[in-house]
Every structure is written in C-alpha cells, then in structure tokens.
Amino acid sequence: MSTSVDTFRDLAQQDYKWGFVTDIEHEQVPKGLNEDIVRTISAKKNEPAFMLEWRLKAFRHWMSLEKAQAEPKWANIKYAPIDYQDIVYYSAPKQKKQLNSLDELDPEILRTYEKLGIPLAEQKMLAGVAVDAVFDSVSVATTFKEKLAELGVIFCSFSEALQKYPELVQKYLGTVVPYTDNFFASLNSAVFSDGSFVYVPKGVRCPMELSTYFRINAAETGQFERTLIVADEGAYVSYLEGCTAPIRDENQLHAAVVELIALDNAQIKYSTVQNWYPGDKQGRGGIYNFVTKRGNCKGVNSKISWTQVETGSAITWKYPSCILQGDNSIGEFYSVALANNYQQADTGTKMIHLGKNTSSTIVSKGISAGHGQNTYRGQVKIQKNATGARNYTQCDSLLIGDKCGAHTFPYIEVKNSTARMEHEASTSKIGEDQLFYLQQRGLKAEDAVSMIVNGFCKQVFRELPMEFAVEAQKLLSVSLEGSVG
Amino acid sequence: MHLLEIKNLHANVDGHEILKGINLILNPGEVHSIMGPNGSGKSTLAQVLSRHPAYEVTDGEVLYNGKDLLAMKPEEAACEGVFLAFQYPVEIPGISNTYFLRSALNAIRKYRGEDEMDAMDFLPMFREKLKLLEMDDKLMNRSVNEGFSGGEKKRNEILQMAILQPKLAILDETDSGLDIDALRIVANGVNALRGPERAMLVVTHYQRLLNYIVPDFVHVLVDGRIVRSGGKELALELEEKGYGWIEAEAQPTSA
C-alpha cells in the first residue's frame, strides 16, 4: 500500500510529472494511411480474414468521409486541421520472443510502469486488480488471467482475443459502434492496433476490478485503441481505465472506441480516469482525444454505468452513451471534466431509450479554470415504444477565475408521452467568501480550492471504485494547482 | 506582552473608509465586547483582524503576540491562533463537517510543527465537543453548513472554535438569528472556552448576549472610532438609553 502513498506524494508536484519518454526500440510502419497500411497492420497481427475485411470496409468508408470533409465540426472546440497522412498508424515495442513471465519483460518498460506508479506484479493482487497494460499499441503483459480463467472470464488484449476467440469477437465487434458510426470511429476501425477484450460468461460475477492502463509513448504515433466488453446473462463486471502520457510538443491524436454489451440481467461498470498530457500553460501541445464510447443494454434488466474523471488532454471529445434496448434496463453517466489553462472539453452522454420502463441518470460536473472551455453536451432520446421511461439529468458547472467558460447543450427528444424527464442545471463560481472561510480555518488557498472542487465532484467520485476515487481527488487537486492566485 | 494591540487602524472597503483610527488592547484571559449601531464598522474590524482580502488597511498597525498581524495571510493568522466566528457562515457542499474540521486542525498543527491527528484520536474529541454544544451526531457527516438552520450554523461556528482552540476568538454577531435556547447553548459553549490563555472579542449589536457572555470590557464603536470604553455596566447603560446619546456625544469630536 506504500506504493500508492508514494504515487500520491509524486502527484503533489506542480507540473505534469509524467513527461518522460521511454527509450526502447520501436517497430513502426511508415507515416500515412492507405490500404497497404491497413493490410500491413492486419498482417503484422496475423489476424483472421474477417478482421482484415472489416478493417478495409472501415477504411474505404473513412476515405469517403475524409473526401467529403465529414470530420465532425459541431463540437465547441478549436484546433488546427489534422494531417492524417502525417501520422504513424502502428508502432510496437520490439519483442524477440513470447514472454513466460514479467521477469522477461524489457526492464525499460518495467521502469516506465514503476514511474507511472503502476505495479504490475503482486501489489495489484493485494489491491484486487488485474492489469492488462497497454504500452503503446501492443499489450506486453497480462496478469491474473489464470485466476480469471478458472471462472471462465476472458480478459486479454484485443489481438490475443482475435487469435483465441475469433468467433466471439466477430459476433460482437461493431454491433454497438459500427465502423460507419462517425469519422473517428471509422478511422479507429480501420487502423486500431490493440486494446482489451473482456467476456464474462453467464451468471459470473467478476471477482476483481479489471484495469487497463493506457500510455502513449512513441513520438508521432496516434493511438487507436479498441475495447470490447461483453457481459453475458446475469454477469457482472467492473472495468477501470486510467491513462497518462509523456510531454511532447506536437499534438497527438487519440481516437479510441469502446463497445459494451450487457445481455439479460447483466451489469457493466466502466470507470475512467483520464490524465493525458493537457498541453503547457500557453496551450502548446497536448493530446487530442476523440473517443467513441457506447454501451448497449441489450437484455432485460441490464445496466451499464459510465463514470469518468477527465482532467487531461488538450481536447476532449467524448460522449459515453447507453442504448437502453432491453426492458427495465438502466443507463448511468457520472462525469467530472476539468478544463484548465487552454484545455477544451466537449463531453457528455447520450441516453437512447428504446425498451419499456428504462431509466437513465446523468450527473455531469464541469470545472473550468484558467482559459479553459468546458462544454456539456447531452442527448436524451425517448423513442416511441419506450413506455414508462425516466431520465434524471443534473448538470453543474463550476468556474474558477474570470477567463474560463462553461457551456451546456442538453438535447431532449421525447416521442412517448409517458416519459418522465427531470433536468437540473447550475453554474457557480468559487467565491471569495467560500475561500476566505476555509482559509480562516487554517487551510492554504490552494487546499481550500481543492476542497471546494472535491466537494463539488463528490456525487461522481463516490461512484468510482475506492482506490480510483482517492487517485481522482488527488489528480484534480494537482490539475488545479496554480489556478488561484 | 499584550495579545492584541491595535494602533490607529484605518481601513477601506471599495474605497470607502470604514475604520477611522481604532485603538484597542486585549490581554490574554480578557473578554472584550464591541458594541455599536449598524454601519459603525464592527464587522469590518472583525474581518480586518481575520485578514479578509476585501478590506484595505490604509493606516495604523496591529500587533498580535508581538507579530505584525496585517502582514499575515488569512491562513497564517488562523494558524497563529486567530479565529473568526462568522456572522454568515458559508456552505461547503460535498465536504463533511468531520473531514473539514480535521483538515483545518491538521493544517494548524502542521504549521506549528505538531503531528497530524488521525481519525482515531480526532473522532472522540469531536464527539465530546458536539455534546458541549448540544449538537446531533448526525451533523458530523453532513456537509459543512449545508442545509443547517441559522442556529445550527452558529453552533457549528462555536464547535469549530472549541476544536481549533484559538488564542484570539472573534465572535461576529454570533447572537443574531438565535432564539433564546440556542443563545444559551452558544453562550455556554463560549463560556466553556474562556480561560487565562485566551482572549475574546465579542462583536454584538445587542446587550442580550452579554447577559450570557459577561465581558470584562465594553467598547462602543461609532462611525469607525471607539468613542467610549467601560466595564460590563456600560452595556446595560446602552441597553437603557440606546446609542443615540453616545452618537450625540461623539459628534463634536468628529466634526
């Protein structure tokens, strides 16, 4: 447990501390995107034929979108045009042979994990977390698989799943986020390099939190992760995702896709703490994070819950959504998004009610500081057959300073008159009186701000698994340092 | 050495001069009351002493324990033992009373080079102080002042004072908005904290509070100046005659 204490001590340093570049050999394909690159990626990974076909269809679709200049422009974010031909679409740490244990792992990679405070080894066992660590684009180590295997739980890299369980992947891939879904999802479908795959069989409650740490490392490498989680009938799984990335001057594109499928009576809880490099104080650099995350509550009484703490990235474009297809299914979205310095976040959710007596809850907490611009964009759609649907939306914004902005775009579309909709929204500013009150009790201004902000976010933090909640609080405090004079 | 020595203190808020030359000395163990009509500068004095940033000191000096109080940030003054019981305590949603108070206490202990207090030691002490103020245990886990009644907020201020154990406690109209039972409870809490090491500055509009918290000295503030000082009987005289006669008396000096 001392590991986490040390991690938090390190977190208390003002500047983005994870700005180191690990020096390991990379195997890269040339810059740019064409059919050959797609074929190369698929071939390098020795993928089954259906996968290559799907990638190629996605690629052709993406090309048509690119030609039609269909990159989405509706979000409340500004960035220089991305040159998609100036990106390396695949990079893998060179490995000579298959590894039998962590001891055989490149010591450089192990040291990187240590700097990140990600103990791959036994410590995680104590914490009850299995880690499938993604280093750049290829999974290099997976732990606790055996224990999970006893229960029939599959938790592995996407590449491995394609080798071992191609029929499962083929059955579910693209069923929630088709390759035609949007510009960035199409791109991802064509070139995704790796990611995680989870399958929890009927009636199994996954006994540990599943966790993946993503890390972007190779210079000029866009990262395109693909995650697919299937909870079969009556299954339960909680999945954690946490990210950091090193300092770099050029902007880095990240376009991930996450698909969740919950069958009858199944539950999926997906938690994210996102702390990619946000750019410097003048707004130079930082990650462009264009993510498509969607879950389908396919079965009756199923439940999907998204919890996210978004403190990093220069640009965040992300709307984890739920399709409430099964009757009585439940969708939840709990979000904290922070935009400090020149960060821009346009994030929210979509709740699409199809089944009867479906219900959804949205709690969004946006924090803007410095010159940050924070946008909540949400859509709640009650379709014609969704009798007895309910939605509760709470959307709060907190402003720190007078140069930042908070924006809210809630879209509500109701096609069934039995629907019950509630929407609450508030915008507040951290007041001098609130700060003074805490300072008068002995707290430093920065600690006072952090306390007020953490209080503001409490509704969301309590949805996070314990160790993540603590980390998220610290992260928020660190991300806000220097925002109060 | 005096605990607090205020010399010719002038202060502005939004460009208006509110304090126009305050002189006052407090020694450890003494309870002083500041009385005066609305707008005379009582609350401003309380806020300046606790270092609220909105007030600009234009002249004079304040020595606290021999140190320059006016050079301190609010949290430094707090850590040095200056406590303000607010007239209008603010709400901090999502932060429990327990967490807030332990953080505050530990910030102060840290400043003094003492070890932080863990939850095991803190909670019994917290419960004991709750009893002193006849407060419900439930208040421990409620967010700071959120949804508290006016009386609960004021009791919470004194609870904080009981836990933080300041050297100089400034009570800013702690009696306002209290019914007679709550007033008695708050006053009992304050009286329990009287001691030879601690000085108190009780700012109030009404004499009523001073029946419960009996001061050693009473000062009357009119238009930013202390125009009269005396013993506790001065408060009674004010209650009987109102502020008018003192204001009238003060007039020639300010003209």
Side-chain angles (χ1 to χ4, degrees):
Chain A
M1 296 282 81
S2 69
T3 309
S4 55
V5 172
D6 291 342
T7 307
F8 297 151
R9 193 171 301 136
D10 293 343
L11 272 170
Q13 294 169 4
Q14 175 138 351
D15 288 321
Y16 193 83
K17 59 163 284 233
W18 295 308
F20 49 85
V21 177
T22 308
D23 186 21
I24 47 171
E25 273 187 272
H26 284 92
E27 184 190 4
Q28 290 191 337
V29 298
K31 273 184 183 176
L33 186 53
N34 53 49
E35 220 171 278
D36 282 347
I37 296 285
V38 176
R39 285 178 191 279
T40 307
I41 293 170
S42 191
K44 273 185 185 295
K45 302 171 80 64
N46 194 27
E47 288 177 349
F50 84 86
M51 197 64 249
L52 174 61
E53 273 167 46
W54 199 74
R55 283 178 184 276
L56 289 172
K57 278 192 273 184
F59 172 69
R60 287 170 200 141
H61 184 76
W62 180 78
M63 283 298 280
S64 70
L65 293 175
E66 166 81 340
K67 209 168 271 170
Q69 298 184 311
E71 185 177 326
K73 297 288 185 213
W74 42 259
N76 188 23
I77 49 178
K78 291 189 192 97
Y79 57 95
I82 299 167
D83 182 354
Y84 291 95
Q85 297 302 336
D86 195 37
I87 292 170
V88 174
Y89 285 89
Y90 182 80
S91 119
K94 262 187 190 160
Q95 282 180 349
K96 305 248 159 30
K97 57 180 172 69
Q98 282 284 317
L99 300 179
N100 295 318
S101 82
L102 282 179
D103 302 338
E104 297 175 30
L105 200 64
D106 186 334
E108 269 299 309
I109 296 180
L110 273 181
R111 265 196 294 279
T112 303
Y113 287 139
E114 272 158 32
K115 280 191 228 168
L116 283 167
I118 305 168
L120 256 183
E122 298 304 310
Q123 297 98 308
K124 278 290 166 183
M125 186 73 197
L126 295 170
V129 178
V131 176
D132 172 27
V134 174
F135 189 85
D136 265 13
S137 312
V138 172
S139 292
V140 288
T142 306
T143 52
F144 305 115
K145 260 197 287 193
E146 279 154 32
K147 181 161 182 188
L148 292 170
E150 282 170 30
L151 292 158
V153 175
I154 301 168
F155 175 40
C156 63
S157 73
F158 208 98
S159 311
E160 192 181 335
L162 274 169
Q163 302 303 322
K164 289 189 180 163
Y165 319 99
E167 64 297 330
L168 269 178
V169 175
Q170 191 170 11
K171 185 173 175 187
Y172 292 107
L173 179 70
T175 60
V176 190
V177 181
Y179 65 78
T180 52
D181 192 79
N182 68 69
F183 185 85
F184 296 110
S186 294
L187 181 63
N188 173 287
S189 302
V191 302
F192 74 89
S193 41
D194 213 334
S196 295
F197 177 78
V198 177
Y199 173 80
V200 187
K202 276 183 195 175
V204 171
R205 193 183 163 86
C206 186
M208 56 184 93
E209 315 266 1
L210 300 182
S211 164
T212 306
Y213 287 84
F214 293 86
R215 180 167 171 79
I216 302 174
N217 196 287
E220 296 174 73
T221 304
Q223 183 146 1
F224 303 92
E225 297 292 335
R226 186 112 200 166
T227 298
L228 177 57
I229 300 177
V230 181
D232 213 325
E233 291 170 24
Y236 168 87
V237 63
S238 170
Y239 188 88
L240 319 182
E241 170 199 46
C243 344
T244 56
I247 283 179
R248 196 172 304 284
D249 280 327
E250 294 127 287
N251 290 300
Q252 291 184 310
L253 176 65
H254 183 94
V257 171
V258 176
E259 294 180 278
L260 311 182
I261 295 139
L263 301 180
D264 289 357
N265 304 302
Q267 271 189 46
I268 302 175
K269 186 174 168 61
Y270 194 104
S271 313
T272 305
V273 171
Q274 187 267 115
N275 180 33
W276 281 327
Y277 180 51
D280 66 14
K281 291 192 173 81
Q282 281 71 44
R284 285 186 304 251
I287 305 294
Y288 288 4
N289 193 21
F290 297 94
V291 185
T292 306
K293 287 184 169 176
R294 194 175 304 149
N296 188 7
C297 286
K298 204 166 188 271
V300 296
N301 305 316
S302 57
K303 180 176 172 183
I304 289 179
S305 181
W306 298 100
T307 307
Q308 61 172 19
V309 177
E310 302 281 324
T311 62
S313 296
I315 289 175
T316 300
W317 180 99
K318 184 180 172 191
Y319 316 90
S321 305
C322 296
I323 299 166
L324 302 170
Q325 188 182 339
D327 290 348
N328 310 316
S329 60
I330 297 170
E332 293 176 337
F333 174 74
Y334 298 95
S335 169
V336 167
L338 168 79
N340 195 4
N341 297 319
Y342 284 88
Q343 282 176 277
Q344 309 173 69
D346 192 308
T347 185
T349 185
K350 285 191 278 188
M351 292 290 175
I352 314 293
H353 293 249
L354 303 175
K356 292 183 176 53
N357 301 315
T358 45
S359 70
S360 58
T361 302
I362 299 171
V363 176
S364 163
K365 304 278 183 176
I367 302 151
S368 315
H371 293 80
Q373 295 295 325
N374 209 324
T375 302
Y376 167 80
R377 189 181 301 278
Q379 183 180 40
V380 180
K381 216 175 188 171
I382 312 290
Q383 298 294 51
K384 223 165 63 196
N385 295 326
T387 304
R390 280 172 301 169
N391 167 262
Y392 172 76
T393 299
Q394 185 188 340
C395 184
D396 299 322
S397 305
L398 187 67
L399 299 168
I400 303 170
D402 53 10
K403 292 183 180 67
C404 54
H407 317 271
T408 309
F409 300 97
Y411 302 91
I412 298 173
E413 201 182 320
V414 179
K415 293 181 179 159
N416 184 307
S417 60
T418 62
R420 284 203 318 226
M421 316 289 287
E422 283 178 76
H423 186 100
E424 288 178 28
S426 76
T427 303
S428 52
K429 211 177 153 177
I430 290 191
E432 203 175 56
D433 285 342
Q434 237 177 353
L435 272 181
F436 177 64
Y437 188 77
L438 297 182
Q439 285 177 275
Q440 213 298 308
R441 295 300 183 252
L443 298 168
K444 288 186 187 131
E446 280 189 348
D447 296 337
V449 168
S450 144
M451 187 176 272
I452 293 166
V453 169
N454 277 312
F456 174 75
C457 298
K458 188 172 184 190
Q459 259 177 300
V460 174
F461 286 164
R462 70 174 175 218
E463 298 295 328
L464 287 170
M466 186 63 127
E467 72 270 24
F468 242 35
V470 176
E471 200 174 315
Q473 284 189 26
K474 300 283 176 188
L475 194 56
L476 212 53
S477 308
V478 173
S479 306
L480 277 170
E481 275 177 20
S483 62
V484 176
Chain B
M1 185 171 51
H2 306 301
L3 180 67
L4 184 73
E5 193 173 359
I6 306 174
K7 295 180 199 162
N8 189 35
L9 180 65
H10 290 251
N12 289 358
V13 63
D14 295 332
H16 299 283
E17 187 171 51
I18 308 289
L19 300 184
K20 302 174 178 173
I22 303 271
N23 293 287
L24 186 63
I25 286 173
L26 266 73
N27 291 306
E30 294 175 353
V31 173
H32 291 241
S33 177
I34 302 276
M35 299 185 72
N38 288 327
S40 57
K42 303 188 298 291
S43 284
T44 299
L45 178 62
Q47 302 271 345
V48 168
L49 293 178
S50 48
R51 305 303 306 122
H52 194 293
Y55 298 87
E56 185 200 354
V57 173
T58 51
D59 200 4
E61 87 178 303
V62 179
L63 292 176
Y64 169 77
N65 256 337
K67 295 179 190 165
D68 180 3
L69 182 66
L70 300 177
M72 294 181 196
K73 291 180 191 162
E75 62 267 33
E76 285 167 344
C79 291
E80 291 282 347
V82 176
F83 179 92
L84 173 66
F86 284 70
Q87 184 177 3
Y88 304 108
V90 300
E91 299 181 0
I92 316 285
I95 295 297
S96 78
N97 232 357
T98 319
Y99 178 75
F100 164 59
L101 269 173
R102 192 154 72 86
S103 302
L105 181 64
N106 281 334
I108 293 171
R109 290 173 72 104
K110 205 169 149 192
Y111 178 89
R112 293 177 186 161
E114 297 166 18
D115 283 341
E116 294 194 5
M117 198 183 247
D118 63 25
M120 298 295 281
D121 291 329
F122 180 76
L123 286 175
M125 190 263 280
F126 191 59
R127 285 208 181 85
E128 187 195 316
K129 306 292 182 189
L130 278 167
K131 261 186 226 139
L132 172 71
L133 286 145
E134 302 180 30
M135 285 169 84
D136 196 318
D137 269 21
K138 273 186 280 197
L139 288 172
M140 289 166 65
N141 296 319
R142 274 173 50 188
S143 294
V144 180
N145 292 325
E146 199 184 28
F148 283 32
S149 69
E152 282 173 332
K153 282 183 182 172
K154 293 298 175 71
R155 272 196 252 178
N156 203 25
E157 292 296 292
I158 306 307
L159 172 76
Q160 294 178 28
M161 177 171 137
I163 285 167
L164 301 179
Q165 298 277 326
K167 291 198 192 79
L168 172 64
I170 304 164
L171 279 62
D172 190 5
E173 307 223 5
T174 296
D175 50 334
S176 67
L178 291 185
D179 62 33
I180 199 75
D181 290 330
L183 184 65
R184 178 187 50 78
I185 293 166
V186 163
N188 284 346
V190 172
N191 285 331
L193 292 168
R194 288 178 83 149
E197 300 297 312
R198 184 170 296 127
M200 292 186 186
L201 192 60
V202 181
V203 172
T204 182
H205 200 65
Y206 300 106
Q207 189 271 334
R208 189 179 68 155
L209 177 68
L210 306 182
N211 289 335
Y212 296 91
I213 304 169
V214 181
D216 301 305
F217 302 95
V218 174
H219 311 277
V220 182
L221 194 62
V222 174
D223 192 25
R225 290 186 189 87
I226 290 173
V227 293
R228 186 174 287 239
S229 297
K232 59 180 187 250
E233 61 290 343
L234 179 57
L236 293 168
E237 202 176 345
L238 285 168
E239 178 80 349
E240 195 183 315
K241 299 187 187 169
Y243 288 114
W245 63 279
I246 277 188
E247 282 177 284
E249 232 173 58
Q251 213 58 44
T253 55
S254 65

